[in-house]
Amino acid sequence: MSGRTIELVLAGAMAGTVFVTITAGTLVAQSRKDLHFNVGVRSGISVNNPYGSISVKPSLNNTVMINAMLSSDKVEIDSSQNGNRVEIQSHLLPGATAENGRVDYEVLIPADASITLHSNTGSLHAEKLHGDVTLEGASATVDIRDITSAHVHVKTLNGPVTLTNVQDGHVEVDSLSGEVTLNRVTGPLVQVISTSGPINYTGDFGDSGDYRLTSHSGDIEATVPETTSADVTASSVRGEVHDDIPLQPKAHTSFIVRQGSAFVGTMGRAAVSSTVVLRSFSGKIHLRKRTSK
């Protein structure tokens, strides 16, 4: 049977479905477990998954529906509900590894619910929600999109982070070395702190927000339209700083502006504008003008 894979499906076992896969003479039991919870408005859901992916999308009613695919019998699912709070935990059993302890979750929650996700290795995905979103991972890929009027908090070590179409949110991203990409992200506070990873922002900085992009050694690039209104401060101690958009200079600054290492000025003429601070110790900073295609 070398090189061949045979999959058997046994329904009804373990309150779910068991998938038995035989690969090169090795018997591996995969199982699927479905969980359902009824909750009220503004509920809270947390999923803690050491190994594997978590994907969250909105449900059509006040129901939390969880589909979990377990890679083997070395991991099980612990679940609990306390009022409006639902907690899901992947429970590793003796002998579990990153391979046989993997669980992949597909989660449907009410759009106004708050969600907390944790995974060391699997991808984390959340979309079309307007409750608070907290995602934590080590090397996990983080993808957040179409979130409105919510607090978004992301903490990761070296996994890439992408936020797309996050509007009117309080956004905080903390990364060690992963690349952080923000596309059309606006809100009262948008803050990214990275040790060595690059930060890329594409958007218009909103109307009256506070935007702070900071990296110790990673490059920072912000691409904005000419119609953007913002007070911009950019500085790098050892890196280069470039500005493709003419800024109206300020008469007074809090530090000495040196050509090529810092710039300070105002974009646009709107009565209400955002405050933008771009800072790096040794990385390059580039403020680009977005061109229409």
Side-chain angles (χ1 to χ4, degrees):
M1 293 180 59
S2 177
R4 297 181 59 192
T5 298
I6 300 175
E7 183 174 271
L8 308 177
V9 180
L10 306 178
M14 292 180 61
T17 303
V18 175
F19 298 84
V20 179
T21 302
I22 304 175
T23 304
T26 302
L27 185 66
V28 179
Q30 295 179 317
S31 63
R32 185 177 68 204
K33 188 171 185 179
D34 297 321
L35 302 171
H36 300 264
F37 304 90
N38 293 320
V39 295
V41 296
R42 299 190 180 279
S43 56
I45 297 93
S46 70
V47 182
N48 191 344
N49 186 30
Y51 307 120
S53 63
I54 311 172
S55 177
V56 181
K57 298 179 181 179
S59 61
L60 298 178
N61 47 39
N62 288 334
T63 302
V64 176
M65 294 177 286
I66 297 173
N67 171 265
M69 180 64 74
L70 291 73
S71 61
S72 76
D73 59 2
K74 296 299 182 180
V75 62
E76 60 187 18
I77 307 298
D78 295 338
S79 63
S80 64
Q81 180 175 12
N82 184 6
N84 231 19
R85 179 74 181 174
V86 175
E87 296 186 359
I88 306 297
Q89 169 77 48
S90 295
H91 179 195
L92 300 177
L93 301 176
T97 64
E99 289 75 26
N100 62 30
R102 180 184 179 96
V103 180
D104 293 310
Y105 289 93
E106 293 183 357
V107 183
L108 299 180
I109 66 172
D112 67 346
S114 296
I115 186 78
T116 300
L117 309 179
H118 175 86
S119 178
N120 290 330
T121 59
S123 61
L124 299 174
H125 174 83
E127 67 174 75
K128 297 180 180 178
L129 305 173
H130 51 86
D132 293 347
V133 177
T134 301
L135 278 63
E136 298 181 354
S139 59
T141 298
V142 174
D143 178 40
I144 300 174
R145 58 185 61 240
D146 302 327
I147 304 292
T148 58
S149 304
H151 286 206
V152 176
H153 296 241
V154 178
K155 291 185 178 180
T156 184
L157 293 179
N158 54 20
V161 177
T162 302
L163 275 64
T164 304
N165 195 33
V166 177
Q167 304 294 320
D168 300 322
H170 180 119
V171 177
E172 293 181 84
V173 179
D174 193 344
S175 174
L176 181 63
S177 60
E179 180 174 3
V180 179
T181 303
L182 308 179
N183 298 308
R184 303 187 306 280
V185 176
T186 63
L189 175 65
V190 177
Q191 176 174 281
V192 179
I193 299 176
S194 176
T195 301
S196 60
I199 302 172
N200 299 289
Y201 179 93
T202 301
D204 62 5
F205 292 130
D207 294 329
S208 57
D210 187 3
Y211 295 75
R212 298 182 179 272
L213 311 180
T214 304
S215 182
H216 183 269
S217 58
D219 295 341
I220 300 174
E221 183 170 297
T223 305
V224 299
E226 287 184 298
T227 55
T228 296
S229 293
D231 291 325
V232 183
T233 300
S235 62
S236 181
V237 177
R238 296 182 178 176
E240 298 177 357
V241 173
H242 300 281
D243 172 24
D244 293 347
I245 302 177
L247 300 177
Q248 303 171 33
K250 285 190 172 183
H252 302 282
T253 62
S254 59
F255 59 93
I256 298 175
V257 178
R258 293 185 173 87
Q259 185 70 25
S261 63
F263 60 79
V264 178
T266 301
M267 299 174 57
R269 297 179 178 274
V272 179
S273 60
S274 294
T275 299
V276 178
V277 178
L278 313 174
R279 288 179 177 164
S280 180
F281 179 75
S282 60
K284 298 179 181 178
I285 298 176
H286 198 164
L287 181 64
R288 294 181 179 271
K289 178 175 64 176
R290 188 174 67 195
T291 57
S292 299
K293 295 184 178 180

